[in-house]
PDB file of all heavy atoms in Angstrom:
ATOM      1  N   SER Y 291      34.188  45.832  30.325  1.00 92.00           N
ATOM      2  CA  SER Y 291      35.298  46.698  30.673  1.00 92.00           C
ATOM      3  C   SER Y 291      35.674  46.531  32.138  1.00 92.00           C
ATOM      4  O   SER Y 291      34.804  46.698  33.006  1.00 92.00           O
ATOM      5  CB  SER Y 291      34.930  48.156  30.403  1.00 92.00           C
ATOM      6  OG  SER Y 291      36.007  49.003  30.691  1.00 92.00           O
ATOM      7  N   PRO Y 292      36.911  46.149  32.452  1.00 93.00           N
ATOM      8  CA  PRO Y 292      37.971  45.804  31.506  1.00 93.00           C
ATOM      9  C   PRO Y 292      37.888  44.331  31.115  1.00 93.00           C
ATOM     10  O   PRO Y 292      37.448  43.502  31.908  1.00 93.00           O
ATOM     11  CB  PRO Y 292      39.236  46.055  32.341  1.00 93.00           C
ATOM     12  CG  PRO Y 292      38.837  45.773  33.735  1.00 93.00           C
ATOM     13  CD  PRO Y 292      37.376  46.122  33.862  1.00 93.00           C
ATOM     14  N   ALA Y 293      38.332  44.019  29.890  1.00 93.00           N
ATOM     15  CA  ALA Y 293      38.384  42.639  29.451  1.00 93.00           C
ATOM     16  C   ALA Y 293      39.843  42.132  29.587  1.00 93.00           C
ATOM     17  O   ALA Y 293      40.070  40.963  29.878  1.00 93.00           O
ATOM     18  CB  ALA Y 293      37.954  42.528  27.987  1.00 93.00           C
ATOM     19  N   VAL Y 294      40.762  43.056  29.343  1.00 93.00           N
ATOM     20  CA  VAL Y 294      42.205  42.740  29.491  1.00 93.00           C
ATOM     21  C   VAL Y 294      42.834  43.912  30.216  1.00 93.00           C
ATOM     22  O   VAL Y 294      42.525  45.082  29.923  1.00 93.00           O
ATOM     23  CB  VAL Y 294      42.873  42.578  28.085  1.00 93.00           C
ATOM     24  CG1 VAL Y 294      44.351  42.256  28.227  1.00 93.00           C
ATOM     25  CG2 VAL Y 294      42.174  41.506  27.258  1.00 93.00           C
ATOM     26  N   ARG Y 295      43.659  43.617  31.187  1.00 93.00           N
ATOM     27  CA  ARG Y 295      44.357  44.701  31.895  1.00 93.00           C
ATOM     28  C   ARG Y 295      45.841  44.383  31.914  1.00 93.00           C
ATOM     29  O   ARG Y 295      46.250  43.337  32.418  1.00 93.00           O
ATOM     30  CB  ARG Y 295      43.828  44.815  33.324  1.00 93.00           C
ATOM     31  CG  ARG Y 295      44.426  45.960  34.116  1.00 93.00           C
ATOM     32  CD  ARG Y 295      43.914  46.002  35.513  1.00 93.00           C
ATOM     33  NE  ARG Y 295      42.550  46.444  35.615  1.00 93.00           N
ATOM     34  CZ  ARG Y 295      42.159  47.730  35.600  1.00 93.00           C
ATOM     35  NH1 ARG Y 295      43.086  48.669  35.513  1.00 93.00           N
ATOM     36  NH2 ARG Y 295      40.905  48.061  35.709  1.00 93.00           N
ATOM     37  N   GLY Y 296      46.622  45.296  31.330  1.00 93.00           N
ATOM     38  CA  GLY Y 296      48.078  45.082  31.303  1.00 93.00           C
ATOM     39  C   GLY Y 296      48.477  43.838  30.569  1.00 93.00           C
ATOM     40  O   GLY Y 296      49.547  43.274  30.833  1.00 93.00           O
ATOM     41  N   GLY Y 297      47.631  43.359  29.661  1.00 92.00           N
ATOM     42  CA  GLY Y 297      47.958  42.144  28.906  1.00 92.00           C
ATOM     43  C   GLY Y 297      47.373  40.889  29.512  1.00 92.00           C
ATOM     44  O   GLY Y 297      47.476  39.817  28.942  1.00 92.00           O
ATOM     45  N   VAL Y 298      46.799  41.007  30.712  1.00 92.00           N
ATOM     46  CA  VAL Y 298      46.270  39.815  31.375  1.00 92.00           C
ATOM     47  C   VAL Y 298      44.765  39.790  31.224  1.00 92.00           C
ATOM     48  O   VAL Y 298      44.079  40.778  31.508  1.00 92.00           O
ATOM     49  CB  VAL Y 298      46.663  39.801  32.877  1.00 92.00           C
ATOM     50  CG1 VAL Y 298      46.021  38.642  33.586  1.00 92.00           C
ATOM     51  CG2 VAL Y 298      48.161  39.730  33.024  1.00 92.00           C
ATOM     52  N   MET Y 299      44.228  38.643  30.752  1.00 89.00           N
ATOM     53  CA  MET Y 299      42.786  38.523  30.577  1.00 89.00           C
ATOM     54  C   MET Y 299      42.118  38.580  31.937  1.00 89.00           C
ATOM     55  O   MET Y 299      42.553  37.896  32.871  1.00 89.00           O
ATOM     56  CB  MET Y 299      42.436  37.175  29.949  1.00 89.00           C
ATOM     57  CG  MET Y 299      43.144  36.826  28.676  1.00 89.00           C
ATOM     58  SD  MET Y 299      42.639  37.764  27.264  1.00 89.00           S
ATOM     59  CE  MET Y 299      41.101  36.992  26.898  1.00 89.00           C
ATOM     60  N   VAL Y 300      41.092  39.395  32.043  1.00 90.00           N
ATOM     61  CA  VAL Y 300      40.369  39.485  33.307  1.00 90.00           C
ATOM     62  C   VAL Y 300      39.401  38.313  33.378  1.00 90.00           C
ATOM     63  O   VAL Y 300      38.475  38.209  32.556  1.00 90.00           O
ATOM     64  CB  VAL Y 300      39.612  40.839  33.408  1.00 90.00           C
ATOM     65  CG1 VAL Y 300      38.823  40.943  34.700  1.00 90.00           C
ATOM     66  CG2 VAL Y 300      40.610  42.003  33.305  1.00 90.00           C
ATOM     67  N   THR Y 301      39.621  37.400  34.307  1.00 83.00           N
ATOM     68  CA  THR Y 301      38.894  36.139  34.292  1.00 83.00           C
ATOM     69  C   THR Y 301      37.397  36.308  34.559  1.00 83.00           C
ATOM     70  O   THR Y 301      36.580  35.572  34.014  1.00 83.00           O
ATOM     71  CB  THR Y 301      39.486  35.136  35.300  1.00 83.00           C
ATOM     72  OG1 THR Y 301      39.748  35.827  36.503  1.00 83.00           O
ATOM     73  CG2 THR Y 301      40.746  34.503  34.790  1.00 83.00           C
ATOM     74  N   ASN Y 302      37.031  37.279  35.398  1.00 86.00           N
ATOM     75  CA  ASN Y 302      35.592  37.427  35.689  1.00 86.00           C
ATOM     76  C   ASN Y 302      34.937  38.518  34.823  1.00 86.00           C
ATOM     77  O   ASN Y 302      33.853  39.012  35.180  1.00 86.00           O
ATOM     78  CB  ASN Y 302      35.376  37.702  37.194  1.00 86.00           C
ATOM     79  CG  ASN Y 302      36.117  38.940  37.646  1.00 86.00           C
ATOM     80  OD1 ASN Y 302      36.874  39.543  36.861  1.00 86.00           O
ATOM     81  ND2 ASN Y 302      35.937  39.323  38.884  1.00 86.00           N
ATOM     82  N   ALA Y 303      35.567  38.891  33.716  1.00 90.00           N
ATOM     83  CA  ALA Y 303      34.962  39.909  32.839  1.00 90.00           C
ATOM     84  C   ALA Y 303      33.655  39.381  32.267  1.00 90.00           C
ATOM     85  O   ALA Y 303      33.568  38.220  31.878  1.00 90.00           O
ATOM     86  CB  ALA Y 303      35.937  40.232  31.701  1.00 90.00           C
ATOM     87  N   ALA Y 304      32.642  40.234  32.239  1.00 92.00           N
ATOM     88  CA  ALA Y 304      31.347  39.805  31.729  1.00 92.00           C
ATOM     89  C   ALA Y 304      30.713  40.950  30.936  1.00 92.00           C
ATOM     90  O   ALA Y 304      31.021  42.121  31.161  1.00 92.00           O
ATOM     91  CB  ALA Y 304      30.439  39.409  32.889  1.00 92.00           C
ATOM     92  N   TRP Y 305      29.827  40.586  30.043  1.00 94.00           N
ATOM     93  CA  TRP Y 305      29.084  41.612  29.283  1.00 94.00           C
ATOM     94  C   TRP Y 305      28.076  42.301  30.201  1.00 94.00           C
ATOM     95  O   TRP Y 305      27.339  41.632  30.937  1.00 94.00           O
ATOM     96  CB  TRP Y 305      28.359  40.999  28.084  1.00 94.00           C
ATOM     97  CG  TRP Y 305      29.301  40.604  26.988  1.00 94.00           C
ATOM     98  CD1 TRP Y 305      29.689  39.337  26.685  1.00 94.00           C
ATOM     99  CD2 TRP Y 305      29.951  41.465  26.063  1.00 94.00           C
ATOM    100  NE1 TRP Y 305      30.560  39.356  25.629  1.00 94.00           N
ATOM    101  CE2 TRP Y 305      30.742  40.644  25.232  1.00 94.00           C
ATOM    102  CE3 TRP Y 305      29.963  42.839  25.867  1.00 94.00           C
ATOM    103  CZ2 TRP Y 305      31.535  41.164  24.201  1.00 94.00           C
ATOM    104  CZ3 TRP Y 305      30.772  43.359  24.838  1.00 94.00           C
ATOM    105  CH2 TRP Y 305      31.532  42.517  24.015  1.00 94.00           C
ATOM    106  N   GLU Y 306      28.061  43.623  30.154  1.00 94.00           N
ATOM    107  CA  GLU Y 306      27.107  44.407  30.963  1.00 94.00           C
ATOM    108  C   GLU Y 306      26.106  45.048  29.984  1.00 94.00           C
ATOM    109  O   GLU Y 306      26.519  45.627  28.969  1.00 94.00           O
ATOM    110  CB  GLU Y 306      27.823  45.528  31.688  1.00 94.00           C
ATOM    111  CG  GLU Y 306      28.919  45.087  32.607  1.00 94.00           C
ATOM    112  CD  GLU Y 306      28.491  45.107  34.072  1.00 94.00           C
ATOM    113  OE1 GLU Y 306      27.391  45.603  34.360  1.00 94.00           O
ATOM    114  OE2 GLU Y 306      29.268  44.596  34.881  1.00 94.00           O
ATOM    115  N   LYS Y 307      24.859  44.934  30.312  1.00 95.00           N
ATOM    116  CA  LYS Y 307      23.830  45.551  29.456  1.00 95.00           C
ATOM    117  C   LYS Y 307      23.650  46.994  29.940  1.00 95.00           C
ATOM    118  O   LYS Y 307      23.441  47.223  31.150  1.00 95.00           O
ATOM    119  CB  LYS Y 307      22.514  44.787  29.597  1.00 95.00           C
ATOM    120  CG  LYS Y 307      21.467  45.227  28.609  1.00 95.00           C
ATOM    121  CD  LYS Y 307      20.188  44.441  28.837  1.00 95.00           C
ATOM    122  CE  LYS Y 307      19.127  44.948  27.852  1.00 95.00           C
ATOM    123  NZ  LYS Y 307      17.849  44.322  28.090  1.00 95.00           N
TER     124      LYS Y 307
END
Side-chain angles (χ1 to χ4, degrees):
Chain Y
S291 182
V294 180
R295 183 182 287 279
V298 175
M299 307 288 285
V300 178
T301 43
N302 57 355
W305 287 104
E306 301 257 352
K307 189 182 178 185

